[in-house]
Tab-separated table of all heavy atoms in Angstrom:
chain	number	residue	atom	x	y	z
A	27	TYR	N	47.411	120.121	55.112
A	27	TYR	CA	47.071	119.439	53.869
A	27	TYR	C	45.841	120.104	53.272
A	27	TYR	O	45.763	120.339	52.074
A	27	TYR	CB	46.841	117.952	54.148
A	27	TYR	CG	46.274	117.181	52.997
A	27	TYR	CD1	46.951	117.091	51.788
A	27	TYR	CD2	45.049	116.536	53.118
A	27	TYR	CE1	46.424	116.381	50.729
A	27	TYR	CE2	44.517	115.817	52.063
A	27	TYR	CZ	45.204	115.742	50.869
A	27	TYR	OH	44.677	115.043	49.822
A	28	LYS	N	44.873	120.432	54.134
A	28	LYS	CA	43.718	121.218	53.727
A	28	LYS	C	43.011	121.734	54.961
A	28	LYS	O	43.251	121.277	56.070
A	28	LYS	CB	42.771	120.413	52.849
A	28	LYS	CG	41.961	119.355	53.524
A	28	LYS	CD	41.078	118.682	52.494
A	28	LYS	CE	40.025	117.832	53.110
A	28	LYS	NZ	39.197	117.192	52.116
A	29	HIS	N	42.167	122.728	54.737
A	29	HIS	CA	41.282	123.192	55.802
A	29	HIS	C	39.913	123.459	55.194
A	29	HIS	O	39.791	123.735	54.009
A	29	HIS	CB	41.827	124.412	56.554
A	29	HIS	CG	42.136	125.588	55.689
A	29	HIS	ND1	43.310	126.252	55.761
A	29	HIS	CD2	41.430	126.228	54.735
A	29	HIS	CE1	43.318	127.240	54.889
A	29	HIS	NE2	42.191	127.241	54.259
A	30	GLU	N	38.899	123.341	56.027
A	30	GLU	CA	37.525	123.520	55.581
A	30	GLU	C	36.758	124.331	56.615
A	30	GLU	O	37.107	124.319	57.783
A	30	GLU	CB	36.831	122.158	55.410
A	30	GLU	CG	37.459	121.280	54.355
A	30	GLU	CD	36.768	119.929	54.233
A	30	GLU	OE1	35.665	119.749	54.792
A	30	GLU	OE2	37.347	119.051	53.586
A	31	GLY	N	35.722	125.001	56.164
A	31	GLY	CA	34.812	125.691	57.063
A	31	GLY	C	35.129	127.142	57.325
A	31	GLY	O	34.476	127.773	58.152
A	32	MET	N	36.114	127.712	56.643
A	32	MET	CA	36.511	129.093	56.908
A	32	MET	C	35.483	130.117	56.426
A	32	MET	O	35.543	131.273	56.832
A	32	MET	CB	37.881	129.386	56.297
A	32	MET	CG	39.024	128.624	56.960
A	32	MET	SD	39.242	129.002	58.710
A	32	MET	CE	40.169	130.525	58.599
A	33	HIS	N	34.549	129.711	55.597
A	33	HIS	CA	33.522	130.658	55.135
A	33	HIS	C	32.355	130.726	56.121
A	33	HIS	O	31.953	131.808	56.533
A	33	HIS	CB	33.029	130.291	53.733
A	33	HIS	CG	34.096	130.409	52.701
A	33	HIS	ND1	34.664	131.607	52.350
A	33	HIS	CD2	34.724	129.475	51.966
A	33	HIS	CE1	35.600	131.406	51.439
A	33	HIS	NE2	35.662	130.117	51.194
A	34	ALA	N	31.836	129.586	56.524
A	34	ALA	CA	30.678	129.559	57.428
A	34	ALA	C	31.074	129.799	58.885
A	34	ALA	O	30.296	130.338	59.667
A	34	ALA	CB	29.951	128.229	57.310
A	35	LEU	N	32.283	129.387	59.256
A	35	LEU	CA	32.815	129.569	60.613
A	35	LEU	C	31.910	128.985	61.698
A	35	LEU	O	31.759	129.553	62.782
A	35	LEU	CB	33.094	131.051	60.886
A	35	LEU	CG	34.199	131.672	60.019
A	35	LEU	CD1	34.258	133.173	60.218
A	35	LEU	CD2	35.541	131.030	60.321
A	36	GLN	N	31.311	127.828	61.416
A	36	GLN	CA	30.565	127.061	62.412
A	36	GLN	C	31.464	125.965	62.978
A	36	GLN	O	31.399	125.641	64.151
A	36	GLN	CB	29.336	126.401	61.763
A	36	GLN	CG	28.372	127.352	61.118
A	36	GLN	CD	27.548	128.102	62.134
A	36	GLN	OE1	27.137	127.549	63.139
A	36	GLN	NE2	27.327	129.370	61.883
A	37	TRP	N	32.267	125.383	62.074
A	37	TRP	CA	33.173	124.285	62.409
A	37	TRP	C	34.313	124.363	61.406
A	37	TRP	O	34.131	124.136	60.217
A	37	TRP	CB	32.433	122.971	62.297
A	37	TRP	CG	33.247	121.717	62.437
A	37	TRP	CD1	34.561	121.583	62.773
A	37	TRP	CD2	32.766	120.386	62.236
A	37	TRP	NE1	34.924	120.261	62.795
A	37	TRP	CE2	33.830	119.497	62.474
A	37	TRP	CE3	31.531	119.857	61.875
A	37	TRP	CZ2	33.706	118.124	62.357
A	37	TRP	CZ3	31.415	118.485	61.767
A	37	TRP	CH2	32.486	117.633	62.015
A	38	VAL	N	35.484	124.726	61.876
A	38	VAL	CA	36.670	124.777	61.016
A	38	VAL	C	37.505	123.545	61.302
A	38	VAL	O	37.765	123.202	62.458
A	38	VAL	CB	37.481	126.069	61.248
A	38	VAL	CG1	38.823	126.007	60.526
A	38	VAL	CG2	36.689	127.282	60.780
A	39	LEU	N	37.896	122.881	60.239
A	39	LEU	CA	38.724	121.682	60.314
A	39	LEU	C	40.061	122.018	59.658
A	39	LEU	O	40.087	122.536	58.545
A	39	LEU	CB	38.021	120.549	59.572
A	39	LEU	CG	38.737	119.215	59.501
A	39	LEU	CD1	37.700	118.098	59.514
A	39	LEU	CD2	39.580	119.101	58.262
A	40	ILE	N	41.143	121.734	60.364
A	40	ILE	CA	42.486	121.930	59.823
A	40	ILE	C	43.163	120.565	59.824
A	40	ILE	O	43.391	119.978	60.875
A	40	ILE	CB	43.312	122.928	60.657
A	40	ILE	CG1	42.539	124.229	60.883
A	40	ILE	CG2	44.648	123.221	59.968
A	40	ILE	CD1	43.143	125.126	61.943
A	41	ASP	N	43.482	120.072	58.639
A	41	ASP	CA	43.996	118.707	58.469
A	41	ASP	C	45.501	118.731	58.234
A	41	ASP	O	45.973	119.185	57.193
A	41	ASP	CB	43.281	118.065	57.279
A	41	ASP	CG	43.626	116.603	57.073
A	41	ASP	OD1	44.586	116.112	57.699
A	41	ASP	OD2	42.939	115.954	56.265
A	42	TYR	N	46.244	118.236	59.222
A	42	TYR	CA	47.690	118.075	59.097
A	42	TYR	C	48.049	116.602	58.858
A	42	TYR	O	49.138	116.172	59.190
A	42	TYR	CB	48.406	118.594	60.348
A	42	TYR	CG	48.416	120.096	60.450
A	42	TYR	CD1	47.532	120.751	61.292
A	42	TYR	CD2	49.289	120.862	59.688
A	42	TYR	CE1	47.526	122.138	61.389
A	42	TYR	CE2	49.292	122.243	59.771
A	42	TYR	CZ	48.413	122.872	60.620
A	42	TYR	OH	48.401	124.249	60.710
A	43	VAL	N	47.141	115.845	58.291
A	43	VAL	CA	47.238	114.426	57.958
A	43	VAL	C	47.220	113.554	59.212
A	43	VAL	O	46.268	112.825	59.425
A	43	VAL	CB	48.435	114.090	57.039
A	43	VAL	CG1	48.468	112.604	56.702
A	43	VAL	CG2	48.376	114.910	55.762
A	44	ASN	N	48.251	113.624	60.055
A	44	ASN	CA	48.278	112.770	61.243
A	44	ASN	C	47.587	113.390	62.448
A	44	ASN	O	47.330	112.701	63.428
A	44	ASN	CB	49.714	112.402	61.610
A	44	ASN	CG	50.292	111.387	60.646
A	44	ASN	OD1	49.574	110.804	59.847
A	44	ASN	ND2	51.584	111.185	60.718
A	45	VAL	N	47.304	114.663	62.378
A	45	VAL	CA	46.531	115.325	63.430
A	45	VAL	C	45.542	116.268	62.739
A	45	VAL	O	45.907	117.012	61.837
A	45	VAL	CB	47.428	116.068	64.449
A	45	VAL	CG1	48.278	117.124	63.796
A	45	VAL	CG2	46.619	116.648	65.590
A	46	VAL	N	44.286	116.178	63.172
A	46	VAL	CA	43.223	117.002	62.606
A	46	VAL	C	42.655	117.868	63.725
A	46	VAL	O	42.275	117.362	64.784
A	46	VAL	CB	42.111	116.145	61.961
A	46	VAL	CG1	41.007	117.025	61.397
A	46	VAL	CG2	42.692	115.251	60.866
A	47	VAL	N	42.613	119.176	63.481
A	47	VAL	CA	42.134	120.143	64.461
A	47	VAL	C	40.697	120.522	64.106
A	47	VAL	O	40.399	120.822	62.948
A	47	VAL	CB	43.022	121.413	64.456
A	47	VAL	CG1	42.575	122.391	65.528
A	47	VAL	CG2	44.495	121.047	64.616
A	48	HIS	N	39.826	120.518	65.114
A	48	HIS	CA	38.428	120.893	64.950
A	48	HIS	C	38.155	122.079	65.874
A	48	HIS	O	38.252	121.941	67.093
A	48	HIS	CB	37.494	119.744	65.333
A	48	HIS	CG	37.732	118.491	64.563
A	48	HIS	ND1	37.072	118.198	63.397
A	48	HIS	CD2	38.567	117.448	64.800
A	48	HIS	CE1	37.471	117.023	62.952
A	48	HIS	NE2	38.389	116.554	63.781
A	49	VAL	N	37.805	123.229	65.301
A	49	VAL	CA	37.449	124.410	66.072
A	49	VAL	C	35.961	124.642	65.813
A	49	VAL	O	35.563	124.881	64.672
A	49	VAL	CB	38.274	125.649	65.663
A	49	VAL	CG1	37.964	126.821	66.569
A	49	VAL	CG2	39.767	125.338	65.661
A	50	MET	N	35.153	124.565	66.861
A	50	MET	CA	33.705	124.512	66.679
A	50	MET	C	32.971	125.490	67.602
A	50	MET	O	33.430	125.757	68.716
A	50	MET	CB	33.198	123.098	66.984
A	50	MET	CG	33.953	122.001	66.256
A	50	MET	SD	33.491	120.336	66.795
A	50	MET	CE	32.115	120.050	65.698
A	51	LEU	N	31.819	125.961	67.125
A	51	LEU	CA	30.891	126.643	68.009
A	51	LEU	C	30.288	125.592	68.942
A	51	LEU	O	30.166	124.418	68.557
A	51	LEU	CB	29.773	127.318	67.213
A	51	LEU	CG	30.157	128.551	66.391
A	51	LEU	CD1	28.966	129.025	65.572
A	51	LEU	CD2	30.654	129.674	67.301
A	52	PRO	N	29.889	125.972	70.153
A	52	PRO	CA	29.318	124.988	71.077
A	52	PRO	C	28.128	124.216	70.498
A	52	PRO	O	28.011	123.013	70.699
A	52	PRO	CB	28.894	125.832	72.286
A	52	PRO	CG	29.791	127.027	72.235
A	52	PRO	CD	30.025	127.295	70.772
A	53	GLU	N	27.264	124.902	69.739
A	53	GLU	CA	26.092	124.238	69.154
A	53	GLU	C	26.510	123.163	68.149
A	53	GLU	O	25.930	122.076	68.102
A	53	GLU	CB	25.180	125.246	68.430
A	53	GLU	CG	24.732	126.438	69.253
A	53	GLU	CD	25.775	127.545	69.337
A	53	GLU	OE1	26.369	127.936	68.310
A	53	GLU	OE2	26.001	128.020	70.470
A	54	SER	N	27.510	123.459	67.343
A	54	SER	CA	28.007	122.487	66.361
A	54	SER	C	28.629	121.293	67.069
A	54	SER	O	28.427	120.146	66.668
A	54	SER	CB	29.029	123.129	65.422
A	54	SER	OG	28.435	124.161	64.685
A	55	ARG	N	29.361	121.560	68.119
A	55	ARG	CA	30.011	120.469	68.852
A	55	ARG	C	28.970	119.545	69.481
A	55	ARG	O	29.107	118.323	69.442
A	55	ARG	CB	30.936	121.037	69.920
A	55	ARG	CG	31.804	119.976	70.562
A	55	ARG	CD	32.850	120.616	71.411
A	55	ARG	NE	33.776	119.645	71.964
A	55	ARG	CZ	34.806	120.002	72.703
A	55	ARG	NH1	35.051	121.268	72.947
A	55	ARG	NH2	35.598	119.077	73.194
A	56	ARG	N	27.922	120.131	70.063
A	56	ARG	CA	26.856	119.307	70.654
A	56	ARG	C	26.130	118.495	69.584
A	56	ARG	O	25.764	117.350	69.794
A	56	ARG	CB	25.850	120.183	71.401
A	56	ARG	CG	26.313	120.618	72.773
A	56	ARG	CD	25.205	121.249	73.596
A	56	ARG	NE	24.606	122.409	72.963
A	56	ARG	CZ	25.051	123.660	73.094
A	56	ARG	NH1	26.113	123.909	73.833
A	56	ARG	NH2	24.440	124.652	72.498
A	57	PHE	N	25.935	119.083	68.416
A	57	PHE	CA	25.207	118.400	67.346
A	57	PHE	C	26.010	117.235	66.768
A	57	PHE	O	25.490	116.140	66.587
A	57	PHE	CB	24.843	119.391	66.233
A	57	PHE	CG	24.055	118.771	65.127
A	57	PHE	CD1	22.701	118.552	65.252
A	57	PHE	CD2	24.679	118.392	63.945
A	57	PHE	CE1	21.967	117.962	64.231
A	57	PHE	CE2	23.970	117.796	62.914
A	57	PHE	CZ	22.602	117.591	63.057
A	58	TYR	N	27.294	117.451	66.463
A	58	TYR	CA	28.101	116.426	65.787
A	58	TYR	C	28.715	115.399	66.741
A	58	TYR	O	29.065	114.305	66.324
A	58	TYR	CB	29.180	117.076	64.922
A	58	TYR	CG	28.581	117.755	63.719
A	58	TYR	CD1	28.452	119.130	63.674
A	58	TYR	CD2	28.103	117.015	62.651
A	58	TYR	CE1	27.874	119.754	62.574
A	58	TYR	CE2	27.520	117.625	61.549
A	58	TYR	CZ	27.416	118.996	61.527
A	58	TYR	OH	26.839	119.606	60.439
A	59	ARG	N	28.892	115.760	68.008
A	59	ARG	CA	29.342	114.829	69.050
A	59	ARG	C	30.525	113.954	68.624
A	59	ARG	O	30.464	112.722	68.673
A	59	ARG	CB	28.168	113.967	69.505
A	59	ARG	CG	27.025	114.792	70.027
A	59	ARG	CD	25.903	113.977	70.592
A	59	ARG	NE	25.622	112.768	69.848
A	59	ARG	CZ	24.415	112.329	69.548
A	59	ARG	NH1	23.372	113.007	69.922
A	59	ARG	NH2	24.245	111.206	68.891
A	60	LEU	N	31.603	114.571	68.205
A	60	LEU	CA	32.784	113.820	67.759
A	60	LEU	C	33.344	112.916	68.848
A	60	LEU	O	33.790	111.803	68.570
A	60	LEU	CB	33.875	114.780	67.271
A	60	LEU	CG	33.574	115.572	66.010
A	60	LEU	CD1	34.730	116.504	65.693
A	60	LEU	CD2	33.282	114.654	64.848
A	61	GLU	N	33.318	113.409	70.085
A	61	GLU	CA	33.845	112.595	71.183
A	61	GLU	C	33.049	111.296	71.331
A	61	GLU	O	33.619	110.252	71.630
A	61	GLU	CB	33.826	113.368	72.506
A	61	GLU	CG	34.805	114.514	72.560
A	61	GLU	CD	34.198	115.864	72.190
A	61	GLU	OE1	33.215	115.912	71.417
A	61	GLU	OE2	34.713	116.877	72.666
A	62	GLU	N	31.752	111.349	71.120
A	62	GLU	CA	30.930	110.137	71.199
A	62	GLU	C	31.170	109.237	69.993
A	62	GLU	O	31.213	108.011	70.112
A	62	GLU	CB	29.452	110.496	71.284
A	62	GLU	CG	29.040	111.066	72.614
A	62	GLU	CD	27.565	111.413	72.659
A	62	GLU	OE1	26.751	110.665	72.078
A	62	GLU	OE2	27.237	112.447	73.272
A	63	MET	N	31.304	109.842	68.823
A	63	MET	CA	31.528	109.068	67.607
A	63	MET	C	32.834	108.268	67.697
A	63	MET	O	32.923	107.154	67.198
A	63	MET	CB	31.567	109.998	66.390
A	63	MET	CG	31.650	109.280	65.067
A	63	MET	SD	31.736	110.430	63.668
A	63	MET	CE	30.286	111.418	63.894
A	64	TRP	N	33.844	108.855	68.337
A	64	TRP	CA	35.147	108.210	68.488
A	64	TRP	C	35.368	107.829	69.947
A	64	TRP	O	36.457	108.000	70.492
A	64	TRP	CB	36.246	109.145	67.986
A	64	TRP	CG	36.158	109.399	66.521
A	64	TRP	CD1	35.573	110.463	65.899
A	64	TRP	CD2	36.633	108.549	65.476
A	64	TRP	NE1	35.671	110.323	64.532
A	64	TRP	CE2	36.313	109.160	64.246
A	64	TRP	CE3	37.308	107.325	65.462
A	64	TRP	CZ2	36.644	108.595	63.017
A	64	TRP	CZ3	37.632	106.762	64.239
A	64	TRP	CH2	37.301	107.399	63.037
A	65	SER	N	34.355	107.262	70.581
A	65	SER	CA	34.407	106.971	72.019
A	65	SER	C	35.440	105.896	72.392
A	65	SER	O	35.807	105.778	73.555
A	65	SER	CB	33.024	106.570	72.540
A	65	SER	OG	32.581	105.398	71.888
A	66	ASP	N	35.915	105.130	71.423
A	66	ASP	CA	36.965	104.138	71.693
A	66	ASP	C	38.340	104.785	71.850
A	66	ASP	O	39.284	104.144	72.293
A	66	ASP	CB	37.048	103.102	70.564
A	66	ASP	CG	35.844	102.177	70.531
A	66	ASP	OD1	35.065	102.182	71.503
A	66	ASP	OD2	35.671	101.464	69.535
A	67	ALA	N	38.458	106.041	71.482
A	67	ALA	CA	39.747	106.740	71.552
A	67	ALA	C	40.064	107.159	72.982
A	67	ALA	O	39.178	107.460	73.779
A	67	ALA	CB	39.707	107.980	70.656
A	68	GLU	N	41.358	107.183	73.280
A	68	GLU	CA	41.808	107.722	74.557
A	68	GLU	C	41.550	109.231	74.558
A	68	GLU	O	41.859	109.921	73.587
A	68	GLU	CB	43.302	107.449	74.736
A	68	GLU	CG	43.857	107.914	76.058
A	68	GLU	CD	45.345	107.650	76.168
A	68	GLU	OE1	45.790	106.567	75.762
A	68	GLU	OE2	46.048	108.548	76.654
A	69	TYR	N	41.009	109.735	75.648
A	69	TYR	CA	40.514	111.105	75.739
A	69	TYR	C	41.363	111.860	76.755
A	69	TYR	O	41.631	111.352	77.842
A	69	TYR	CB	39.062	111.006	76.192
A	69	TYR	CG	38.335	112.285	76.467
A	69	TYR	CD1	37.570	112.868	75.474
A	69	TYR	CD2	38.368	112.875	77.732
A	69	TYR	CE1	36.855	114.031	75.742
A	69	TYR	CE2	37.663	114.030	77.989
A	69	TYR	CZ	36.909	114.601	76.993
A	69	TYR	OH	36.200	115.751	77.232
């Protein structure tokens, strides 16, 4: 549906509507902590 972050290449998001892919540098992943933000989700 859309993708973001292909210019900076720190965190690329690929949105397929029902599934969203996040490809991140380790530093970005530690900073944004998506797993903690969505801690109610099955992991």
Side-chain angles (χ1 to χ4, degrees):
Y27 171 60
K28 73 179 193 180
H29 56 229
E30 297 179 12
M32 293 299 279
H33 295 294
L35 295 172
Q36 301 285 321
W37 173 7
V38 171
L39 178 147
I40 309 167
D41 185 348
Y42 287 101
V43 181
N44 287 348
V45 59
V46 179
V47 183
H48 303 268
V49 185
M50 309 172 88
L51 289 175
E53 306 81 47
S54 298
R55 189 170 185 177
R56 281 191 302 272
F57 182 80
Y58 290 104
R59 302 185 321 223
L60 293 178
E61 291 95 332
E62 287 180 37
M63 186 181 304
W64 294 97
S65 61
D66 290 348
E68 183 181 318
Y69 176 94

